[in-house]
Amino acid sequence: MLGGASRYDVQSLPFLRAASVFVLAYVVWKMPTERLREVKWPLILLGALAFTMLLQLVKLPPSIWQDFAGRDIVYRIGVAAGMGDVWRPVTFSPASTWNSLASLTVPAAALVLLAWMKRSEWRQALWIFVGIGALSALMGIMQLVLPESDNLYLYAITNAGEAVGLFANRNHNAIFCGVALLAAIDRLQEDWSASELPFRIGGSAVAALLVIGILVNASRAGLLVLVLVFALASLRQLASLRKAKGSLILRLLWLVLPVLGAGLLAVALFTQDRLAGLTRLIEKDPLDEQRTQLFPYFLEMLRDHMPWGAGFGAFEQAYRVIEPAELLGPRYLNQAHNDWIQFFIEGGVAAVVIFVLFALLVARAAISVLRKKTGNDATRRQTLLALMLLALFAVGSLVDYPLRTPLGMIFAVYCLAIAFRPTDAAGEALQVAHSQPKS
């Protein structure tokens, strides 16, 4: 309920981060240190990010920082104001970088909680994210259909009048619902034959709610993720047709019904003018045109701010230095709306190193799954699902910044923990009782 926005001035974030710090401190204090091995690599990635941010906050003498890209005008203004000898850090905005550093407390707390749990419970934890996605989808639908629904919006700065759900941004809501949908479909496919009727009905209803929540959302990114979800789910089912039980016709229906049902629902909603996202596909989007105009400037920033970076969270301030006069308007650009390029603009060479480490870990996990070197069939399935969920977040990050919200961060680090967990059985042998606080 508190993790749907990434702005530094969101009033709920201090409470969320304070709670995360308390959880982080308590679990680390009470939990045996060997349990942290279960989430070693995600913690290393978070630690590398935090260390980079701290380095960007170290103050440097004017003789050094004034030579960085975009700092000359800052230095000349300082000299004119009689402040030419002020020491300043690498980042364009220390407050924004401190905010980015504080934001890491939320995924760090989630990781240590996962380490405290036994591995058999990690799988059930996935339903928490599915439930959050379903709640966000339901809330988004209510925001559209209920009169006087202003009280259903949780944030002051938001996409008012649209299906944002628990988030402040419609794209973040749609992408999160899409990732949750793939998780729900995977769990239903795996547990269908062994589950009772209430589970089948409830799980199917949740999946349908997530689909509707994406379709009524005015988000092209959400529709793209939805297409990818159905494609990935169909490929998973197609790959397991030989192992599945039951008649071939019933197994093939798993491939046809989701796509057919979504298509019929899309047509019905489109004819009622409720499917804003599909309508926008055939309309000219001013934001897309602006992104095309701005991309060369982003590449210029990427080149100029190597190797030190502009500072994590400081994209807005760094962009103002080069913002072209012809693109000035009543709306300002606070994010690049392409988190891949923004990550490297803000982090510089350090961001490249962190990304290379992340890519190597993903490649190792994928190769282990393909070569069937990662545990048993259930473990390999969970690892493959985690990699696919991360891929959906990666696609969504091409057009927005879903991983800058606390909810997105927590879901992503959960997927990282699943994908990068140790392949031996040592961690499985440790029971939760061993890590419970002693009375």
Side-chain angles (χ1 to χ4, degrees):
M1 297 297 291
L2 302 178
S6 60
R7 288 180 58 93
Y8 66 91
D9 54 357
V10 174
Q11 296 179 3
S12 61
L13 285 182
F15 299 98
L16 175 62
R17 292 170 181 175
S20 298
V21 170
F22 174 78
V23 170
L24 182 62
Y26 181 79
V27 174
V28 171
W29 175 38
K30 290 293 186 179
M31 182 178 63
T33 55
E34 64 267 17
R35 295 291 297 178
L36 292 176
R37 182 178 178 273
E38 296 290 297
V39 293
K40 175 181 67 175
W41 286 113
L43 281 178
I44 288 175
L45 290 172
L46 278 183
L49 274 174
F51 182 71
T52 302
M53 294 173 186
L54 286 173
L55 288 180
Q56 291 179 335
L57 288 165
V58 175
K59 292 185 177 181
L60 303 172
S63 59
I64 296 178
W65 67 258
Q66 66 173 311
D67 293 330
F68 296 159
R71 300 333 194 268
D72 180 63
I73 186 174
V74 178
Y75 178 73
R76 288 189 282 114
I77 292 174
V79 171
M83 301 170 58
D85 58 347
V86 174
W87 287 41
R88 300 181 186 274
V90 170
T91 175
F92 264 89
S93 174
S96 298
T97 303
W98 276 114
N99 178 64
S100 297
L101 182 62
S103 71
L104 299 183
T105 58
V106 180
L111 282 174
V112 297
L113 285 175
L114 278 173
W116 204 342
M117 298 164 58
K118 57 185 177 181
R119 289 190 182 182
S120 60
E121 294 175 327
W122 287 24
R123 182 177 178 274
Q124 282 76 15
L126 186 61
W127 283 109
I128 296 176
F129 297 104
V130 174
I132 293 173
L135 175 61
S136 188
L138 177 62
M139 195 167 177
I141 295 171
M142 294 171 62
Q143 289 165 347
L144 289 180
V145 301
L146 293 180
E148 304 295 333
S149 61
D150 293 346
N151 293 332
L152 293 178
Y153 289 90
L154 302 181
Y155 303 97
I157 300 179
T158 185
N159 297 133
E162 298 178 0
V164 299
L166 296 175
F167 294 83
N169 182 299
R170 65 165 181 261
N171 289 329
H172 298 166
N173 180 41
I175 293 169
F176 191 95
C177 288
V179 179
L181 174 63
L182 180 59
I185 292 176
D186 181 87
R187 294 277 69 85
L188 287 171
Q189 287 178 338
E190 183 177 2
D191 299 337
W192 187 268
S193 59
S195 301
E196 297 180 355
L197 184 61
F199 171 83
R200 298 181 183 182
I201 296 175
S204 301
V206 167
L209 179 60
L210 288 168
V211 172
I212 296 173
I214 297 172
L215 290 176
V216 301
N217 192 302
S219 170
R220 298 181 180 185
L223 292 177
L224 173 61
V225 169
L226 181 61
V227 171
L228 292 176
V229 166
F230 284 132
L232 291 173
S234 297
L235 288 175
R236 288 288 296 272
Q237 185 63 18
L238 186 62
S240 60
L241 278 179
R242 295 182 179 179
K243 298 180 181 180
K245 299 179 180 180
S247 66
L248 179 62
I249 295 178
L250 290 177
R251 284 179 276 158
L252 288 175
L253 283 177
W254 268 111
L255 303 177
V256 178
L257 285 180
V259 180
L260 180 62
L264 292 175
L265 184 59
V267 172
L269 292 170
F270 183 71
T271 57
Q272 298 296 322
D273 294 328
R274 295 302 304 167
L275 192 53
L278 186 58
T279 304
R280 291 177 68 240
L281 288 176
I282 57 178
E283 296 177 349
K284 188 176 181 180
D285 190 352
L287 182 58
D288 286 344
E289 183 178 356
Q290 185 186 38
R291 286 172 178 168
T292 303
Q293 294 174 329
L294 291 175
F295 193 72
Y297 296 98
F298 295 160
L299 293 179
E300 178 184 344
M301 294 176 67
L302 181 62
R303 180 189 68 245
D304 293 344
H305 289 292
M306 286 293 176
W308 312 112
F312 278 104
F315 170 85
E316 176 188 339
Q317 290 77 13
Y319 171 71
R320 290 176 184 173
V321 176
I322 67 163
E323 186 173 14
E326 60 270 18
L327 294 180
L328 290 174
R331 300 178 63 182
Y332 71 99
L333 190 71
N334 65 332
Q335 307 284 355
H337 294 276
N338 181 329
D339 222 11
W340 285 99
I341 192 169
Q342 183 173 335
F343 179 68
F344 298 119
I345 290 173
E346 294 181 344
V349 169
V352 175
V353 173
I354 294 171
F355 170 76
V356 170
L357 176 59
F358 165 77
L360 290 175
L361 291 171
V362 169
R364 186 185 70 170
I367 292 173
S368 298
V369 170
L370 293 176
R371 293 182 177 180
K372 298 183 178 180
K373 292 183 178 181
T374 305
N376 52 30
D377 290 341
T379 301
R380 287 193 294 271
R381 184 183 181 98
Q382 292 177 38
T383 302
L384 182 58
L385 174 63
L387 293 175
M388 291 193 299
L389 297 178
L390 287 172
L392 291 180
F393 275 124
V395 171
S397 296
L398 287 171
V399 294
D400 225 291
Y401 45 100
L403 292 182
R404 292 180 184 261
T405 63
L407 270 175
M409 289 181 187
I410 293 177
F411 204 167
V413 297
Y414 169 82
C415 296
L416 287 176
I418 293 289
F420 300 160
R421 61 186 167 183
T423 56
D424 62 358
E428 190 67 41
L430 291 171
Q431 298 298 320
V432 172
H434 295 168
S435 59
Q436 294 295 331
K438 297 179 180 180
S439 58

